[in-house]
Amino acid sequence: MANLRDIKKRINSVQSTKQITRTMEMVATAKIRRSTARVQAATPYSDSMMEMLGGVASHAASVEHPLLAVHPEEKRVLVIAVVSDRGLAGGFNSNILRIVDKYHALKAEQDIPVDIIACGKKGIAYFHYRHIEPVLSYVDLSADPTIEQAREIAQFAIEKYSAGEVDEVRVVYNHARNAADQDIMDEKVLPIEANVLATASDEAGPQAQYEFEPSPTEVLTRLLPAYVETRIYHALVDSAAAEQGARRKAMKAATDNAEEMVSTLTRSYNRARQAAITTEINEIVGGAAALEE
């Protein structure tokens, strides 16, 4: 009977866990809608920014700007690692951190320091464990990033790149391909490559005639920092949507596993119970036979 009690206790424990994972799955499903809506709301602005940038660039083809200048030698790199504040999301965090860690090790072999901006508690803890101190850290914003956060990161990156203190800025994050799947993105933010401006100009379609005040060059100079800020903000909200999708998928898998485990344990419980009953019957029959003798 002790074995039966152990199995029953195990079944109750797994059923309690299943209730928790199912609830978390439902919460993540509700949050997916809100996060996806934020991405959809930010996308038209990002597309319009690209269109405007391409249109102005076509009128200021010879402009020189620090954010467009490719540094002749790579001496230091800045990486923005976007992960979550919470776990229970499958490989959502580990995949990003593994890529950043490999990139850090690769640059270390080339004697190129790598500064890291960590967005999310999981990233901060990961880098602290490896004795890497992020230059900027953000917590409690992974599920609900703000434009102020993106602006602060963009300003820091722009200042460092314009001053020549870093020679490349990259952002690594999860892109929400759909409500269930995520793609790892590793994008170069700075320098803004010429082909980005060319692509934006080509995608803009027929070009309207503009009159610029004060000049196309000065307008482009104002647009480029805004473009960097938009790129970073879009990565943050995209990662937030991907986080909820990854958590929903992980919690659904955990719930399915719990259901399967309960089914397996129930069969084991029934077999043990039947064996115990059979043993008791045999003992009763044996005792009755002994009395008759």
Side-chain angles (χ1 to χ4, degrees):
M1 295 301 292
N3 188 33
L4 286 175
R5 287 196 297 270
D6 291 342
I7 296 176
K8 190 64 176 178
K9 186 182 297 184
R10 177 68 170 162
I11 290 174
N12 292 336
S13 175
V14 174
Q15 286 177 334
S16 298
T17 303
K18 186 181 73 171
Q19 291 177 350
I20 295 172
T21 57
R22 188 182 294 279
T23 301
M24 294 184 68
E25 177 188 349
M26 295 172 62
V27 171
T29 301
K31 289 184 176 181
I32 285 175
R33 300 189 184 98
R34 180 172 179 270
S35 300
T36 303
R38 291 191 68 181
V39 176
Q40 293 173 346
T43 299
Y45 179 82
S46 178
D47 293 342
S48 298
M49 173 66 70
M50 289 293 295
E51 181 179 345
M52 184 182 301
L53 188 63
V56 176
S58 64
H59 291 81
S62 60
V63 65
E64 294 183 1
H65 192 275
L67 303 185
L68 299 174
V70 178
H71 297 179
E73 185 179 358
E74 191 177 84
K75 298 179 181 178
R76 183 177 289 270
V77 179
L78 177 64
V79 177
I80 306 167
V82 185
V83 292
S84 69
D85 293 308
R86 299 168 55 209
L88 300 177
F92 179 85
N93 295 315
S94 59
N95 291 336
I96 297 298
L97 297 174
R98 191 179 301 114
I99 288 178
V100 176
D101 201 15
K102 288 182 178 178
Y103 184 77
H104 186 277
L106 177 64
K107 292 301 180 181
E109 293 176 357
Q110 303 172 0
D111 293 328
I112 300 176
V114 177
D115 292 334
I116 295 176
I117 296 178
C119 302
K121 291 181 181 178
K122 294 299 179 180
I124 296 171
Y126 180 90
F127 294 122
H128 281 177
Y129 179 76
R130 282 156 179 76
H131 307 290
I132 300 173
E133 190 66 29
V135 293
L136 287 179
S137 300
Y138 296 90
V139 299
D140 299 328
L141 291 172
S142 69
D144 193 18
T146 63
I147 189 64
E148 289 77 18
Q149 177 189 1
R151 184 174 295 119
E152 184 176 341
I153 295 173
Q155 183 177 355
F156 180 87
I158 289 172
E159 289 177 356
K160 293 295 183 181
Y161 189 84
S162 299
E165 297 180 21
V166 298
D167 305 296
E168 184 178 86
V169 178
R170 309 191 70 87
V171 58
V172 186
Y173 66 99
N174 283 288
H175 162 63
R177 190 199 318 164
N178 51 49
D181 300 313
Q182 301 81 40
D183 296 321
I184 297 176
M185 307 298 291
D186 183 358
E187 300 176 346
K188 181 188 292 187
V189 178
L190 292 173
I192 300 174
E193 298 173 325
N195 60 347
V196 173
L197 299 180
T199 301
S201 179
D202 293 340
E203 292 178 352
Q207 298 292 316
Q209 295 298 318
Y210 297 101
E211 291 185 4
F212 293 94
E213 180 65 34
S215 69
T217 299
E218 294 190 31
V219 172
L220 185 62
T221 299
R222 291 176 179 266
L223 279 179
L224 290 175
Y227 165 76
V228 175
E229 180 181 313
T230 302
R231 284 279 303 274
I232 294 174
Y233 180 68
H234 197 275
L236 294 175
V237 296
D238 199 357
S239 177
E243 176 188 347
Q244 301 306 328
R247 182 166 292 111
R248 175 186 175 276
K249 186 176 182 179
M251 291 301 97
K252 184 180 186 306
T255 302
D256 293 343
N257 291 338
E259 290 178 353
E260 183 179 351
M261 187 177 295
V262 168
S263 178
T264 301
L265 289 171
T266 301
R267 286 195 298 268
S268 299
Y269 178 83
N270 291 336
R271 284 196 296 266
R273 184 170 178 271
Q274 186 63 45
I277 294 173
T278 302
T279 300
E280 290 180 1
I281 292 174
N282 289 336
E283 291 175 351
I284 292 173
V285 171
L291 291 175
E292 291 178 358
E293 294 177 355

